Amino acid sequence: MDRPIHSRRRGSCAALIIAVGLLGAPSAAHAQAGSLPATAQDLTLLSLEELMGIEVTSVSKRAEPLSDAAAAVAVVTGDEIRRAGARNLAEALRLIPGLEVAATSAQGYAISARGFNSTSSDKLEVLLDGRSVYTPLFSGVFWDSLRTYLPDIERIEVIRGPGAALWGANAVNGVINIVTKPASETLGTQVNLAAGTQERGYAAVRTGSRLGDASAIRIYGLGREIDRSERADGREAVDGARFGQFGVRSDSGWGDDRTLTLSGDFYDGTQRANDAAASTEVDYDVQGANLLARWVDRNLAGGTLSLQASYDHSDRRQPTVFAETRDTVDLQAQHARAAGARHYWVYGLGYRHSQDRTGEAPDYAVIWDPAQRTLQTWSAFVQDQIRVGGDAGTLTLGSKFEYNDFTGFEFQPNARLGWRWSPALFTWASLSRAVRTPNRLDSDLAVFCPPPDGFPPACGPGVFRIGNPDLESEKLHALEGGLRAQLAEHLSLDLVLFYNRYSDLRSTERDVPFFGSFANRLRGEGYGAETTLAWQVARSLSLQASYAWLQLDLETQRSSSDNTSVSTVEGSSPRHRAWLRAAWQPAPAWSVDGFLRYVGALDNYDVPAYTELTLRTAWHPLPQLELAIVGSHLLDDRHAEWNSGPTRAEVERAVLFELSWRWQ
């Protein structure tokens, strides 16, 4: 493992060749499959009325128009992701109003909603096709290994604010639901190639075909190589990555009532990292696989029954620093049915079983005690949507009930009221309680400082326990309200106001030298506003502008010795964020897209406020062929988005060339 994994002198990537070779040439069956021209599904050219008619499922676990969803929900479509030039899921989430996305390295991100951002953000529930992808290790997401083939994404739904009444204990400040297209909508073969100054090489192939009249299957493979970023002092950062992934999905139907979805992915990646003990560079390996099966019967017991089972395996190893192998099984059952003319019930049961094996001392510096642990969570939820005021209003009442191995029983109720005053005006309000239950990091984290000297001046020799097995759940009481208004025929407004009250937040007490230990002695409030204005200037030109303001005011209890968490949490999220997006199609074969964003300062990291611009121009010489050039972070040679000091990785100006080719 002593060879250099990335350098600016090397642009080859074996993973690219492997990804293309996984699938080979299309078969004759593929040649007969239908496919749409590259611009036929371009949602950026839909009218505002058509866009607001897009259905979402994350708010109430049933399909409903975006315009009538009583929550701070936003949707970014697959076509918007393509036209924005996003290269991964984290970059796609920059398109969501109010969401905080900061690049921490060439492949790492810190992502949160409404504050509390960190590389281990723990207050977001993230799902991919209904499969929860957060890890019980720290109740967050490893964004560097959460990948999928981006052209297969149908939409990403994001709820800013609590979603715990339906989605459970991690959905404190938001829910991200990534939805991919059915296999029947990805027929034929598509090849994507890209190369640039930061993403040194990318290749992907996806092919899909029908299996009879009511079934279809698709298979994809991708590989990429990401160059090292640059440090604040001008030297190369210790990051960069190679990554390969392979996946398959099939959808089968029996009439209009019953469907079966089967899917799975396997990924393998290598990143570059520091060996803190030896001050050398090492390869950091990430591997994993997942399987999902979902059965839906839309005509059972007067309603719709959904059964889902998923399995996740992950293995992450950074020599001498950290290691985790995890296997998770998740089972979900849900039934939805109307009860008379005014009520619609959704209720379900769930079970999650997660087993890990972590690195032990003295092989690793960051350890968990015990090194192996099995966690179980049992859950149930119920929700009733009640029509009130004729057809003008909907009152939604519901709660999630969970039993976990850390704090026992938890309940998370929610009440939402949506009211349509006129075809052009919809208002909503909600009151919620949500909890963030402890995880392995909270309860079991420890640090090994090897003899004879440990890590001076941080610690002497021995094991220092930071986790606290007696931690309680973090609690949130949230009040939200908003409106969606059609101000004119081609102009719409979305406005959200929120107030969050937090208690029993995790603090770091200074009763253990240097590292400290965890307790529930932090509390406070967060409040703010998020607004989005959309203007369809012409059929070929649309503009969107967004602004988000956040104020966090935290404090420690009198008994706390924590003198850093308040400033760390308050200073890790920007107070102001704004962006402007433009999508223009000057001619049938051309499209031009711009994304200008402003992010306020991060006082905790001494990251100044910055403004950045991304431009993408695409040309369709043939309906099935697209050539594009993307320029990102164009306003600075490089800028910081996270961390502090001369060794922090900074985001550089980059240029990328893309080719997308589809055939039947």
Side-chain angles (χ1 to χ4, degrees), residues 381-404:
F381 77 91
V382 60
Q383 175 183 272
D384 185 16
Q385 285 188 308
I386 310 165
R387 302 298 299 179
V388 294
D391 292 330
T394 301
L395 174 64
T396 302
L397 303 173
S399 183
K400 185 92 168 186
F401 307 93
E402 292 184 318
Y403 186 88
N404 68 84

Side-chain angles (χ1 to χ4, degrees), residues 28-265:
H30 300 160
Q32 297 176 1
S35 88
L36 293 174
T39 58
Q41 299 177 351
D42 194 347
L43 299 184
T44 60
L45 300 183
L46 294 179
S47 68
L48 291 174
E49 182 179 1
E50 292 169 325
L51 285 171
M52 294 303 287
I54 293 176
E55 290 189 334
V56 296
T57 59
S58 303
V59 177
S60 59
K61 280 200 173 183
R62 61 173 296 201
E64 60 184 333
L66 172 63
S67 58
D68 292 335
V73 60
V75 175
V76 58
T77 67
D79 290 292
E80 288 178 300
I81 294 171
R82 173 181 62 84
R83 291 191 59 164
R87 302 304 305 161
N88 53 50
L89 291 170
E91 289 186 3
L93 292 175
R94 294 189 192 272
L95 304 175
I96 298 294
L99 210 60
E100 301 165 27
V101 181
T104 63
S105 67
Q107 73 282 337
Y109 293 87
I111 300 177
S112 72
R114 297 181 178 174
F116 298 90
N117 203 13
S118 76
T119 55
S120 56
S121 296
D122 55 15
K123 295 176 177 59
L124 276 179
E125 170 65 289
V126 182
L127 306 109
L128 178 56
D129 284 331
R131 174 176 59 87
S132 180
V133 296
Y134 85 91
T135 171
L137 187 73
F138 63 93
S139 300
V141 175
F142 287 113
W143 291 101
D144 56 1
S145 59
L146 180 59
R147 311 279 182 173
T148 191
Y149 182 57
L150 292 184
D152 284 346
I153 292 178
E154 180 179 283
R155 66 188 186 277
I156 301 177
E157 304 175 6
V158 177
I159 299 174
R160 302 169 327 270
L166 291 177
W167 300 105
N170 213 46
V172 176
N173 280 354
V175 178
I176 297 174
N177 186 18
I178 304 159
V179 182
T180 65
K181 301 172 184 176
S184 60
E185 295 183 11
T186 54
L187 303 178
T189 298
Q190 179 166 333
V191 174
N192 291 82
L193 302 173
T197 57
Q198 185 61 33
E199 183 154 7
R200 307 296 287 175
Y202 171 84
V205 180
R206 184 254 288 141
T207 187
S209 61
R210 293 198 178 276
L211 301 174
D213 294 334
S215 301
I217 188 172
R218 69 164 175 257
I219 303 172
Y220 77 87
L222 62 85
R224 69 182 346 128
E225 180 170 348
I226 303 171
D227 197 11
R228 297 180 186 230
S229 57
E230 196 166 300
R231 302 192 325 187
D233 61 10
R235 301 170 59 190
E236 283 191 339
V238 184
D239 55 12
R242 291 175 182 165
F243 192 87
Q245 184 162 315
F246 171 82
V248 60
R249 169 169 172 164
S250 69
D251 295 279
S252 302
W254 289 266
D256 295 330
D257 297 332
R258 294 181 294 276
T259 59
L260 174 64
T261 297
L262 301 172
S263 66
D265 303 274

Side-chain angles (χ1 to χ4, degrees), residues 44 75-77 79-81 83-84 92 94-97 532-533 535 541-546 579-583 593-597:
T44 60
V75 175
V76 58
T77 67
D79 290 292
E80 288 178 300
I81 294 171
R83 291 191 59 164
R94 294 189 192 272
L95 304 175
I96 298 294
T532 303
L533 192 67
W535 181 24
L541 175 63
S542 64
L543 299 175
Q544 275 191 320
S546 175
W579 54 248
L580 175 66
R581 290 171 51 198
D593 294 82
F595 184 33
L596 180 69
R597 60 189 180 94

Side-chain angles (χ1 to χ4, degrees), residues 306-348:
S306 174
L307 302 175
Q308 179 175 296
S310 64
Y311 165 74
D312 273 273
H313 169 79
S314 64
D315 191 352
R316 304 177 67 89
R317 298 185 180 276
Q318 183 174 346
T320 76
V321 178
F322 159 79
E324 182 209 25
T325 300
R326 180 171 297 278
D327 294 278
T328 301
V329 175
D330 194 287
L331 306 175
Q332 303 288 332
Q334 174 183 307
H335 190 249
R337 63 185 299 271
R342 297 178 57 218
H343 296 266
Y344 192 90
W345 289 89
V346 183
Y347 44 88

Side-chain angles (χ1 to χ4, degrees), residues 54 59 76 216 284 310 313 341 373 386 408 483 512 610 656 663-664:
I54 293 176
V59 177
V76 58
Y284 179 4
S310 64
H313 169 79
R373 188 164 181 178
I386 310 165
L483 63 85
V512 176
Y610 63 88
L656 185 76
W663 63 89
Q664 298 181 359

